[in-house]
Amino acid sequence: MSGGWPGGQACMPSAQMALDLVNNRSDILPDYELELIHYDSMCDPGEATKLLYDLLYTEPIKIVLMPGCSGVSTLVAEAARMWNLIVLSYGSSSPALSNRQRFPTFFRTHPSATLHNPTRVQLFQKWKWTRIATIQQTTEVFTSTLDDLEQRTKEAGIEISVRQSFLTDPAVAVKNLKRQDARIIVGLFYETEARKVFCEVFKEKLYGKKYVWFLIGWYADNWFKIKDPAINCTVENMTEAVEGHVTTEIVMLNPETVRGVSNMTSQEFLAALMSRLGGKNPEETGGFQEAPLAYDAVWALALALNKTVAPLKAKGRRLEDFNYNNHDITSEIYRALNTSSFEGVSGQVVFDAQGSRMAMTLIEQLQGGSYKKIGYYDSSQKNLSWFGNDVWIGAGPPADRTVVIEEYRFLSQKLFAAVSVFAGLGILLGIVCLTFNIYNGSVRYIQNSQPYLNNMTAVGCMMALAAVFPLGIDGHHVHRSQFPVVCQFRLWLLGLGFSLAYGSMFTKIWWVHTLFTKKEEKKEKKKQHLEPWKLYATVGVLLAIDFLSLMIWQIVDPLHITVEKFTKEAPKEDLDVLIQPLLEHCSSEKMNTWLGVVYGYKGLLLLLGIFLAYETKSVSTEKINDHRAVGMAIYNVAVLCLITAPVTMILSSQQDASFAFASLAVVFSAYITLVVLFVPKMRRLITRGEWQSEQQDTLKTGSSTNNNDEEKSRQLERENRELQKIIQEKEERVSALRNQLAERQALRNRRRPSTGQNQNHNAPPPSSQPDPKSLLPPPGYPNPSTDNHSLPPSFSNSSNLYPADSKMSRNHCHNSQIPLLYK
């Protein structure tokens, strides 16, 4: 029978040598002569198309086509079904050919390129790699192989982190591998492109103890030493770059000493093949490695043809009856090949359902410039035979990525200890102040400062200072499971401490402003008695608002641990590791929302406190005699809080600076508040004594006494001005009445002489007392009597106080005469 061979140039010598060897066993085909008609398509699909039609339309009729290259096999196998031809290839590895719908009559003794992938995945798992990268030449065979590898690695839990491809120039693809920290790299490309790739690998230093390359094993053993004008790297450069790479190769020569159907062992076949080469260098002979596959392909074809003799004879047919329209003979050949199973020089020859060869995979490693076998893998049995002679440039197989060591950032213990000492001393100071205030609660001066509010301030300061300790506790002190409890302690101590300390001071300044800054004309009506329960109620309201908001926060969105990741850092030592700094935070799902509400509410409270303190700076009152000190404390606390809150949010990623700002703001606020409120009281009672009488206390100079004297003096001045105004009005009234009296007296004096002349004969004797009715004022005016009820008591003797010939000036009113107006 005749066979067509539109194969590639590299494939043709192997097939010819295989046929020559088969011809030595003429006993296997006693009735037929096997003739090989071969053409060189140079692996060009276009040339192969032309050769295919030449074969088909020239005598004799062809029964089997045997292409070599994958590209040619794809074209031939897809067209062969139109002529009912069987296609058998020995050198095609493209996974695309394993498609029975597209290539229904295709078989191959060369396994599919996807057979490398189970071996690669097995090696990845053996060396504990879970992250790989790939670089491929843009051809169908490599693209489909890589697609299969991606599916298999995904099933095995291995990630392909980088996938690069190139057409002719791999420079950009190699640079991308370096940029994306690729360590375990699978390369899929032909031999000529492999030299280009590794020249770029040498330039980018993408080799050495940190990297492992996986290549295809069917390159020539000295492929990296061949001079190639397409690259500008020396042989030494290439040798250095490729050292240590691993290849996977389909087993093309049976490693066991077994006599197969050809009655030869693999070693005897190799010896016979070398003798046929006539001393040629095998590495320079194209298709040398695939020769066992070509030999077994011819044997598979011969055995299949023999197997069809009996079935065809039973049907009254022979192979010589084959033509391009005969489906029956084609079906018999297909069935015979599909059921083939024999021991060949390349190993057990068996075809799967897609017509691909099932075979073992050889694993080799380039060690010292030459390939060494390090294992075999049987994908059908999932059995890895490992020799244990793998060699690495470093101490062992490299990591599949830069090893990232997670390192938590903890607060400086020296800083924490120093701030804790200050906080502890502050709590001790708060205890002293609280004790002093309670012990001297019966002293009038202490009572006038609203001691219960001051006690609340001291307790709040101590709670705020106690919050410094959980504020500095982190993963260095407690386990992660206990950290949320620490977060809650921080929140509650700071929140309630602020409400007690600042809330009690705010209450004082609020009520001072409410009661003692009214307009003068409304002061008497609006002046209220300061009742202590109102002060306590105000503090209670502020405390309840904070307690309720914290409770809602804790229930709705509780605090938990969040870990902040920073930019990886390289250690100073020459290690293939990076440090991943981590920082633990107390946070919640809507942390910014909660902080916005809390900071907004407390910020307004601080600003309002500053305003009230400024408004009441000149007010003096005995009911809250330390409100000026409270105002000063509010200034300091407000400024520190308003500065610290945004700064700590900005510095949240710097644990030492954030803790220092927050804790020192709390410490300074507490210290300033305690010192300003309690130290002057202590000094006053220590220097003057608790036993002094109220009279002595008022006579001695002091801040509170001076304040009371000033208030009394201003009150007397206001009363003096009011009384002077009243006196002036009374003076004007008295002057008007005197003028009326003078006019009436003059009128009576003019009438008296004329009346006396006309009535002198019967008139009574003249009286020295004037007629009372004549002294009455005109209608609408009060009677000018000396009755004490007609004028205010102070004006009953106005002729004595004020001379008739002149009015009393406002300046003539002396303070010593003011009480006479109210007698």
Side-chain angles (χ1 to χ4, degrees):
M1 296 301 295
S2 300
W5 193 296
Q9 183 178 13
C11 307
M12 187 253 306
S14 299
Q16 183 64 57
M17 290 184 291
L19 184 60
D20 293 341
L21 292 172
V22 169
N23 287 336
N24 291 337
R25 288 289 312 278
S26 60
D27 57 305
I28 64 170
L29 290 172
D31 299 328
Y32 304 101
E33 178 183 355
L34 188 63
E35 179 184 0
L36 179 66
I37 302 173
H38 62 276
Y39 293 94
D40 187 3
S41 65
M42 297 176 291
C43 288
D44 183 359
E47 182 67 19
T49 302
K50 176 179 179 299
L51 296 175
L52 173 63
Y53 281 91
D54 289 343
L55 283 170
L56 293 176
Y57 292 103
T58 57
E59 294 290 339
I61 293 177
K62 284 72 181 180
I63 192 170
V64 175
L65 299 176
M66 300 181 68
C69 300
S70 295
V72 173
S73 295
T74 300
L75 184 144
V76 172
E78 195 167 16
R81 62 180 176 177
M82 306 301 296
W83 288 271
N84 294 312
L85 293 173
I86 297 295
V87 180
L88 178 61
S89 174
Y90 77 93
S92 301
S93 61
S94 173
L97 292 168
S98 298
N99 186 341
R100 269 289 176 245
Q101 284 74 31
R102 186 179 175 189
F103 312 107
T105 61
F106 178 76
F107 292 89
R108 53 182 167 182
T109 56
H110 193 300
S112 171
T114 58
L115 196 63
H116 295 263
N117 293 334
T119 307
R120 292 172 179 139
V121 172
Q122 184 69 23
L123 293 177
F124 298 156
Q125 293 175 334
K126 173 180 174 56
W127 288 319
K128 299 179 180 179
W129 294 329
T130 59
R131 181 176 180 266
I132 65 170
T134 63
I135 178 173
Q136 64 157 113
Q137 185 180 356
T138 308
T139 60
E140 182 184 11
V141 58
F142 298 131
T143 300
S144 55
T145 301
L146 189 53
D147 291 339
D148 179 77
L149 177 62
E150 189 169 8
Q151 181 180 355
R152 293 178 183 273
T153 53
K154 186 177 181 180
E155 294 174 355
I158 300 172
E159 173 195 6
I160 298 182
S161 60
V162 185
R163 184 169 175 171
Q164 295 292 319
S165 61
F166 66 93
L167 185 60
T168 56
D169 186 6
V172 175
V174 173
K175 289 180 181 179
N176 289 337
L177 291 176
K178 180 67 175 290
R179 186 181 303 112
Q180 299 184 50
D181 193 33
R183 299 301 183 90
I184 312 303
I185 309 168
V186 178
L188 300 175
F189 29 72
Y190 288 115
E191 180 179 322
T192 53
E193 278 68 26
R195 284 189 283 271
K196 297 179 183 179
V197 169
F198 275 88
C199 184
E200 297 298 328
V201 167
F202 176 80
K203 295 175 183 178
E204 297 295 330
K205 304 300 178 184
L206 202 64
Y207 64 93
K209 64 180 180 179
K210 297 181 181 180
Y211 306 94
V212 178
W213 282 83
F214 282 79
L215 302 181
I216 303 171
W218 41 256
Y219 300 161
D221 287 348
N222 64 339
W223 64 270
F224 55 90
K225 296 179 181 179
I226 298 175
K227 292 185 179 181
D228 191 339
I231 62 174
N232 56 357
C233 294
T234 64
V235 174
E236 290 75 16
N237 297 152
M238 297 292 291
T239 304
E240 182 180 352
V242 300
E243 180 65 24
H245 78 264
V246 178
T247 64
T248 54
E249 180 181 357
I250 303 301
V251 175
M252 300 181 186
L253 191 67
N254 195 343
E256 299 179 1
T257 305
V258 179
R259 292 190 180 275
V261 68
S262 63
N263 198 27
M264 285 193 302
T265 65
S266 57
Q267 290 76 17
E268 291 173 350
F269 168 80
L270 191 59
L273 180 61
M274 294 297 294
S275 65
R276 291 297 182 98
L277 289 177
K280 293 182 180 179
N281 187 356
E283 294 182 357
E284 297 178 357
T285 301
F288 177 82
Q289 292 180 333
E290 289 85 0
L293 299 180
Y295 183 72
D296 285 343
V298 175
W299 268 99
L301 175 60
L303 292 174
L305 293 176
N306 270 356
K307 194 182 293 186
T308 61
V309 173
L312 290 176
K313 189 174 183 180
K315 295 179 181 180
R317 295 188 177 185
R318 300 184 308 161
L319 285 173
E320 290 86 342
D321 299 334
F322 175 81
N323 58 60
Y324 296 140
N325 297 318
N326 196 319
H327 295 278
D328 295 336
I329 297 177
T330 302
S331 297
E332 289 296 333
I333 300 174
Y334 178 90
R335 188 178 302 110
L337 277 173
N338 199 36
T339 57
S340 296
S341 179
F342 63 92
E343 190 72 30
V345 294
S346 62
Q348 185 71 22
V349 178
V350 179
F351 299 104
D352 61 12
Q354 286 75 37
S356 298
R357 167 80 177 276
M358 303 291 292
M360 294 180 63
T361 307
L362 170 64
I363 306 168
E364 292 183 317
Q365 185 182 35
L366 188 67
Q367 301 176 2
S370 61
Y371 287 100
K372 304 293 182 183
K373 297 178 181 179
I374 60 176
Y376 287 95
Y377 182 69
D378 186 353
S379 58
S380 61
Q381 302 295 327
K382 296 183 179 180
N383 179 38
L384 178 64
S385 301
W386 196 250
F387 300 159
N389 59 343
D390 48 319
V391 177
W392 304 98
I393 299 176
D400 59 357
R401 69 196 76 191
T402 301
V403 178
V404 178
I405 300 176
E406 294 185 348
E407 185 177 280
Y408 282 90
R409 290 180 175 178
F410 297 123
L411 181 65
S412 171
Q413 297 306 298
K414 293 182 179 180
L415 176 62
F416 179 52
V419 176
S420 298
V421 169
F422 280 104
L425 294 176
I427 293 175
L428 184 62
L429 176 61
I431 294 173
V432 171
C433 294
L434 183 63
T435 304
F436 163 81
N437 217 47
I438 295 174
Y439 181 77
N440 297 285
S442 59
V443 178
R444 184 182 63 81
Y445 179 68
I446 300 297
Q447 289 178 345
N448 289 343
S449 65
Q450 300 298 328
Y452 290 107
L453 291 181
N454 288 341
N455 292 343
M456 293 180 188
T457 302
V459 173
C461 289
M462 287 188 288
M463 291 179 66
L465 289 169
V468 171
F469 299 103
L471 199 63
I473 294 177
D474 51 24
H476 183 76
H477 306 90
V478 297
H479 192 265
R480 288 178 60 87
S481 60
Q482 300 172 340
F483 201 73
V485 179
V486 177
C487 296
Q488 297 294 344
F489 267 106
R490 294 179 185 178
L491 185 63
W492 282 90
L493 285 175
L494 279 176
L496 298 182
F498 178 87
S499 296
L500 277 176
Y502 184 80
S504 56
M505 294 190 296
F506 179 82
T507 299
K508 283 186 178 183
I509 213 72
W510 170 270
W511 281 103
V512 169
H513 182 271
T514 301
L515 299 179
F516 301 103
T517 59
K518 305 298 180 183
K519 294 182 179 180
E520 292 183 0
E521 61 271 14
K522 298 182 180 180
K523 179 179 178 182
E524 294 299 329
K525 295 181 181 179
K526 294 188 177 182
K527 189 172 182 179
Q528 305 174 18
H529 178 66
L530 184 59
E531 299 178 6
W533 71 267
K534 294 182 179 180
L535 300 175
Y536 308 147
T538 305
V539 178
V541 169
L542 297 177
L543 192 61
I545 293 174
D546 265 355
F547 184 86
L548 188 61
S549 61
L550 292 177
M551 183 62 69
I552 294 174
W553 187 352
Q554 184 174 1
I555 294 174
V556 175
D557 191 13
L559 291 175
H560 58 272
I561 299 177
T562 58
V563 178
E564 180 182 3
K565 293 185 178 182
F566 298 90
T567 304
K568 296 181 180 67
E569 302 172 354
K572 296 180 180 179
E573 299 81 5
D574 185 17
L575 299 176
D576 189 22
V577 298
L578 287 177
I579 305 299
Q580 173 66 76
L582 303 175
L583 183 62
E584 295 175 329
H585 292 286
C586 292
S587 184
S588 58
E589 297 298 330
K590 298 181 180 179
M591 188 71 174
N592 292 334
T593 302
W594 291 108
L595 287 179
V597 172
V598 173
Y599 284 172
Y601 160 66
K602 294 189 182 295
L604 292 176
L605 206 62
L606 290 171
L607 294 175
L608 182 58
I610 294 175
F611 170 75
L612 295 177
Y614 177 79
E615 286 288 308
T616 58
K617 68 181 184 299
S618 60
V619 174
S620 297
T621 176
E622 289 185 353
K623 296 179 180 179
I624 304 178
N625 59 13
D626 62 348
H627 78 280
R628 291 184 179 177
V630 170
M632 183 178 297
I634 286 177
Y635 288 145
N636 289 280
V637 171
V639 170
L640 285 173
C641 291
L642 292 175
I643 293 176
T644 304
V647 171
T648 52
M649 293 182 66
I650 295 173
L651 299 177
S652 60
S653 298
Q654 303 178 26
Q655 69 278 8
D656 290 344
S658 178
F659 172 76
F661 266 93
S663 59
L664 292 179
V666 172
V667 169
F668 286 146
S669 299
Y671 269 89
I672 291 172
T673 300
L674 293 174
V675 170
V676 169
L677 288 184
F678 292 97
V679 170
K681 297 180 178 64
M682 294 179 183
R683 179 175 175 274
R684 178 185 179 86
L685 295 186
I686 291 173
T687 56
R688 301 187 181 187
E690 302 179 26
W691 57 87
Q692 57 187 329
S693 64
E694 184 175 331
Q695 181 179 2
Q696 291 173 334
D697 190 38
T698 55
L699 291 176
K700 293 182 179 179
T701 59
S703 60
S704 179
T705 304
N706 293 336
N707 292 341
N708 294 337
D709 291 344
E710 291 176 1
E711 183 179 357
K712 291 179 180 179
S713 176
R714 285 194 292 270
Q715 184 176 357
L716 290 174
E717 289 178 358
R718 287 193 294 270
E719 292 178 354
N720 189 17
R721 288 194 295 269
E722 293 175 358
L723 292 176
Q724 287 178 359
K725 184 177 181 181
I726 294 173
I727 290 171
Q728 184 177 0
E729 292 176 353
K730 298 299 182 182
E731 286 178 353
E732 293 175 355
R733 181 61 178 163
V734 169
S735 177
L737 292 175
R738 285 178 177 172
N739 291 335
Q740 291 179 7
L741 289 174
E743 291 175 357
R744 291 178 182 275
Q745 187 65 31
L747 181 62
R748 291 189 60 171
N749 291 334
R750 286 196 298 270
R751 290 180 179 177
R752 186 176 298 171
S754 60
T755 304
Q757 293 175 2
N758 296 332
Q759 299 180 356
N760 190 30
H761 61 278
N762 58 2
S767 175
S768 62
Q769 298 294 331
D771 186 4
K773 294 182 179 181
S774 65
L775 297 177
L776 291 176
Y781 289 90
N783 295 328
S785 65
T786 60
D787 188 2
N788 292 338
H789 298 286
S790 62
L791 289 173
S794 59
F795 290 92
S796 59
N797 296 324
S798 60
S799 61
N800 296 328
L801 290 172
Y802 309 104
D805 56 347
S806 65
K807 296 181 181 179
M808 177 179 287
S809 174
R810 183 183 310 174
N811 297 330
H812 293 163
C813 180
H814 194 271
N815 289 342
S816 62
Q817 296 175 345
I818 290 176
L820 297 177
L821 299 174
Y822 294 93
K823 291 183 180 180

